[in-house]
Every structure is written in C-alpha cells, then in structure tokens.
Amino acid sequence: LAVEGCCHGELDAIYNHIAQLETRNGYKVDALLICGDFQAVRNWQDLQCMAVPNKYKQLHDFHKYYTGEKQAPILTLVIGGNHEASNYMWELYHGGWLAPNIYFLGHAGCVLVNGVRIAGASGIFKGHDFQLGHHERVPYDSSSMRSIYHIREYNVRRLSLLSSPRIFLSHDWPASIERYGDLDGLLRRKSFFKADVESGKLGSPPLMGLLMNLKPEWWFAAHLHVRFAATVLHDPEPVPAPAKNPDEIEIDDDDETPGDVPAKSFEQKQPQNPDEISLDDEEETVEAPPQPPPRVRKTQFLALDKCLPKRDFLEVIDIETTDSSMPQTEAASPRLSFDPEWLAITRAFHPWLSTTRSQPPFPEEAEARSLVDAELKWIEENIPKDDKGEIPVSDYQNFVATAPGPGSEGNKKFQQPPWYTNPQTEAFCRMLNIPNKINPPPTVKNPAQASDAA
C-alpha cells in the first residue's frame, strides 16, 4: 500500500512517484491511500466551494481523471480534509467513486480491500460544530463553506461501533499523539507547534478516543505538513489458558479414597515415622514453567507531508493478509468490497442522521450495539454476497459523472454550482433500503421530509 499525506490536487506527481518507486524497488503497489485535502475539483464552479484563498484556487489534475482524459493506474482510496470541493464530497456522503478507480470513503466509512478492513474519517475537528447536524447546503456562505468539513459527533459515534479495522485514515492528528513519538524532534522542525502542544490543542480529541477504542494496527494522517511517526501501546491482552485435551484421564477423578474423602486429606491424618527419611529433603522443588508475557496490541501512527519535491509525502508499506485469492499478476486489480458491519451501522444510525442544525440525542452505547446487531442480521439476509463471501462495491456503485468538466461554465465560471443528485448515493440508499437524505431528487423539496427521524 502506498500512503500519501495531503494531495492538494497533485495526482499526476503522486502516480508518477509511485511508478518510479515500483521500477526502482521491483514491487507492485496494490492500492494508494490518500489522507485528505484531495481536492476533487471537476470544474471552475467546484473551486468556488473550496475554502482556500483565491491565489490557491487552481484546477490541478483531478478533472482529467474525472472526465476520462486520464485513468488512475491503481485503486485509490480517499478521505476528505479541510481544503476540498465540499459540494462534490457531500454528493457522496456515504462514499462512492469520485472518478474511475478513485473511491471516496465518505464523511466516515469502512471498506475491505482484499479482505483488509480500512476505515476513515474525513474533515477536521472544531468543537463548536461537533455536536451539530449537517445543515450546510449549496450555495455556501463563508461560514458553511468551512463548517461542512468539520467532523460531527454523529460520525465519530458510528465509527466507535466498529470492531477493530486494521487501518484507519484521518486528516487531523489524534490529540496528544505527538507524545507517543519524538516530540523534541517534531518541535525542532515545527517550533510553532509548541503552544498548541503545551495547551493540549494539537489534534482532535474525538480521534484519539477512536484510536484508543478501535486499536487499529496502522493509523495514517496528514494535515500538519510534516512526517511524524509514533507508537501507541494498548492494554496487554490476557494470554489464553492452554486448550484442554478432551482425551486426557483426570487423575483426581480416579484417586478418591473410600467414603469420598480426598486422598490428600486422608494422608494428612497418618502418623509420620520419625525414622523415615523425608524425600522432601532430597528432592528439588519442581517449579511450573513461566507464563509467556501478555501480548501487547499497538497502533503504528504515521503522518505524512504534502506532495512537494524533497518532502516526505509518500511511503509504501506491506500489510500481511491471509487472503488466498489476492491478485497474483500485475494485471489483476485488488477487490474493493463493502464492510458488512459498517453497512449495519449505517442502517442502525440512519434515523439520527440530521440535515438541520439540530442533532437528535443519540442512543446509549448498549442500545446502539444492540441495534447494529439486529441490522447485521438484516444485511446477512437481504444483501447477497459473491463466491468469496463479500459484497463487491461494483455490484451497487459505479462511477457516474454528475457535473461537467472544465470549459462548459460560460459566464457562470465564478458562481457556485447547482445541486446534483448523485446516482451512486441513490444506489447506496436503495441497497440499504434507507431514504436518501443527502441529495434526494428535486421532486423532494425538503431533504428533511425524506427523513425518518429528523
């Protein structure tokens, strides 16, 4: 897996760099993970929905992959950051293909790549928006253009219900993660971090809660434009007792004395011969072998820089898998599948997906987990799997261009784009039998009317 920090629209440079690494090192990268600031800008109107100073409003490379001028050479998984064409990522709130072979995990999501669970959270943390619903709509004003990419409690609660994914992607750093690595070295390179480190404001508290709860093997992030590695050790796992041999004869069962008096108790009552030599004086005590140390789970954290020359913006890592059906040739593509547990969480929590500022109170954790268990049974009974026991994304979602590419904006080049209903979101909602609250067809005047709870 290749892992990229901030993309900033530089897809050509990233794919070229991976090709050079493959040639130099003789390996084949199966997939690319991008940790936000992807900038899926389809045209000039999308740029009007991206919260950056005007001097940074550039089309860059994505539109070429969107229109088919170029093809992404490897499967690319993306999360959102704080510099995005947020209107397009809202179209695919639940996840979907931004372009052929480039898949967005959604505002929060979890998928399987060759059986490896990869989860992600888009956006950054701002406390004043954390507990709000998703109220933003195009055209955005200067406030909503920023609040739309602020992570919500709704998505953190959903992600917290996952059993441990192996890989987690975020844009923000988990709060206090800097204390699990070389903090002094970080501050030598980024001295202006010091005030936030000392005040505890560096990073996202909800993300650290997820890291401690989910305990993934790897956590990748970006945002702060610096490479930083850390290791978080979690509570040791208890070592399981040796498996019992069902064919073993239990000596204690056969060694009882008459009257069901334990043999040891009987022997303690016998008078001791004072002239007898005690064997205890001659034999060494046989000690039990030491127990193996408890297994300690750990999360390897890695943040990477933005895509610029001589910057640490990309690394390639190997992830072990027991999947016997992995691609064996360079022509084969890795399998992208929906995670059934995430689908169940999406169905269970859909009544609490608010499209207004007001966020309804969430269920307690025990109730939430019970709801997910029930929905997991629904997933098993209602969504067919392929011969590998998976739910391929391509069975339900395929790329569909909604907005035009650049050059067709005319005199509306610097206006925000219209509302688009994305067929992939419609397909996802049909698969789960839930109403599309994100971008329902125009016949539904008020998205909240399609809600079953808001």
Side-chain angles (χ1 to χ4, degrees):
L1 296 175
V3 184
E4 160 68 33
C6 295
C7 174
H8 291 279
E10 300 290 350
L11 281 175
D12 289 353
I14 292 168
Y15 290 136
N16 288 339
H17 185 69
I18 292 172
Q20 293 170 10
L21 291 175
E22 290 177 326
T23 300
R24 186 185 313 150
N25 297 292
Y27 53 55
K28 177 72 174 68
V29 171
D30 294 299
L32 166 64
L33 312 179
I34 297 182
C35 299
D37 282 0
F38 180 73
Q39 298 184 7
V41 177
R42 299 167 292 184
N43 54 45
W44 287 97
Q45 287 188 322
D46 278 356
L47 272 177
Q48 313 314 312
C49 297
M50 191 164 71
V52 294
N54 286 333
K55 65 179 180 179
Y56 294 116
K57 289 184 177 179
Q58 302 175 33
L59 286 178
H60 290 296
D61 301 330
F62 172 77
H63 66 92
K64 293 178 283 189
Y65 298 86
Y66 177 80
T67 59
E69 179 184 341
K70 289 191 172 184
Q71 174 74 27
I74 56 178
L75 174 64
T76 302
L77 300 185
V78 176
I79 60 165
N82 60 315
H83 300 304
E84 305 289 2
S86 295
N87 59 313
Y88 189 23
M89 289 191 163
W90 175 256
E91 282 185 36
L92 296 172
Y93 178 88
H94 296 295
W97 299 102
L98 295 167
N101 222 24
I102 301 176
Y103 193 83
F104 175 46
L105 287 184
H107 280 225
C110 184
V111 295
L112 302 171
V113 178
N114 286 351
V116 176
R117 298 183 82 201
I118 302 176
S122 292
I124 62 172
F125 174 75
K126 293 294 180 183
H128 54 269
D129 290 322
F130 183 61
Q131 295 181 315
L132 298 182
H134 292 288
H135 59 88
E136 300 86 357
R137 291 290 179 275
V138 289
Y140 306 123
D141 60 23
S142 61
S143 176
S144 61
M145 193 181 296
R146 289 160 176 79
S147 66
I148 192 171
Y149 57 71
H150 294 161
I151 193 169
R152 300 306 208 270
E153 182 180 7
Y154 172 77
N155 283 320
V156 172
R157 283 181 177 264
R158 290 200 298 156
L159 289 164
S160 72
L161 296 172
L162 282 169
S163 52
S164 292
R166 293 187 63 186
I167 297 172
F168 198 99
L169 308 179
S170 69
H171 189 62
D172 240 350
W173 293 19
S176 76
I177 191 67
E178 72 276 3
R179 301 190 181 278
Y180 293 84
D182 182 7
L183 176 57
D184 290 340
L186 176 65
L187 293 179
R188 282 196 296 271
R189 289 175 291 161
K190 299 283 186 176
S191 59
F192 53 90
F193 286 0
K194 186 175 182 180
D196 282 347
V197 169
E198 291 177 347
S199 63
K201 294 180 180 179
L202 190 72
S204 165
L207 290 185
M208 178 51 81
L210 286 176
L211 188 153
M212 292 301 187
N213 180 41
L214 301 180
K215 303 177 176 64
E217 293 178 26
W218 286 94
W219 187 297
F220 300 115
H223 191 41
L224 299 183
H225 298 169
V226 63
R227 186 191 186 279
F228 183 75
T231 301
V232 178
L233 301 179
H234 302 287
D235 294 335
E237 294 180 321
V239 177
K244 189 175 182 179
N245 182 354
D247 299 322
E248 183 179 355
I249 298 174
E250 293 284 354
I251 302 298
D252 289 343
D253 293 343
D254 299 332
D255 205 22
E256 296 290 316
T257 59
D260 293 332
V261 179
K264 184 175 181 181
S265 300
F266 179 78
E267 291 169 359
Q268 288 174 344
K269 297 179 180 179
Q270 305 308 307
Q272 185 175 6
N273 181 349
D275 298 323
E276 183 178 353
I277 298 174
S278 173
L279 295 180
D280 291 341
D281 296 337
E282 297 180 346
E283 295 181 351
E284 294 182 1
T285 302
V286 178
E287 296 182 356
Q291 290 290 319
R295 293 190 294 263
V296 178
R297 293 178 66 177
K298 65 181 180 180
T299 296
Q300 299 281 90
F301 173 83
L302 179 63
L304 291 167
D305 208 332
K306 58 183 175 180
C307 181
L308 286 174
K310 300 182 179 180
R311 303 285 279 269
D312 297 319
F313 64 88
L314 185 143
E315 294 191 17
V316 175
I317 64 164
D318 287 325
I319 297 291
E320 294 182 4
T321 177
T322 57
D323 186 354
S324 61
S325 56
M326 283 186 66
Q328 299 299 315
T329 67
E330 289 193 5
S333 298
R335 303 187 318 278
L336 179 66
S337 305
F338 289 114
D339 180 76
E341 186 180 39
W342 181 251
L343 297 182
I345 292 169
T346 301
R347 264 184 62 88
F349 255 60
H350 195 258
W352 287 273
L353 173 56
S354 172
T355 55
T356 69
R357 290 185 67 88
S358 176
Q359 173 62 61
F362 297 106
E364 296 294 330
E365 181 180 354
E367 179 187 354
R369 292 191 180 279
S370 178
L371 291 170
V372 172
D373 288 342
E375 296 298 349
L376 195 53
K377 293 178 182 177
W378 188 95
I379 299 296
E380 293 290 334
E381 294 170 357
N382 291 276
I383 302 183
K385 296 181 178 179
D386 64 9
D387 55 1
K388 298 181 178 65
E390 298 180 348
I391 307 171
V393 168
S394 59
D395 282 1
Y396 296 92
Q397 289 182 311
N398 290 282
F399 171 70
V400 179
T402 49
S408 60
E409 303 90 347
N411 59 3
K412 297 182 179 180
K413 183 175 181 179
F414 298 109
Q415 296 179 15
Q416 292 190 30
W419 171 284
Y420 295 107
T421 295
N422 198 299
Q424 294 185 73
T425 299
E426 288 275 280
F428 182 90
C429 292
R430 281 196 303 270
M431 174 183 67
L432 294 184
N433 195 25
I434 58 176
N436 177 8
K437 299 181 183 181
I438 302 305
N439 46 20
T443 52
V444 180
K445 294 182 180 180
N446 180 3
Q449 292 176 355
S451 165
D452 53 0

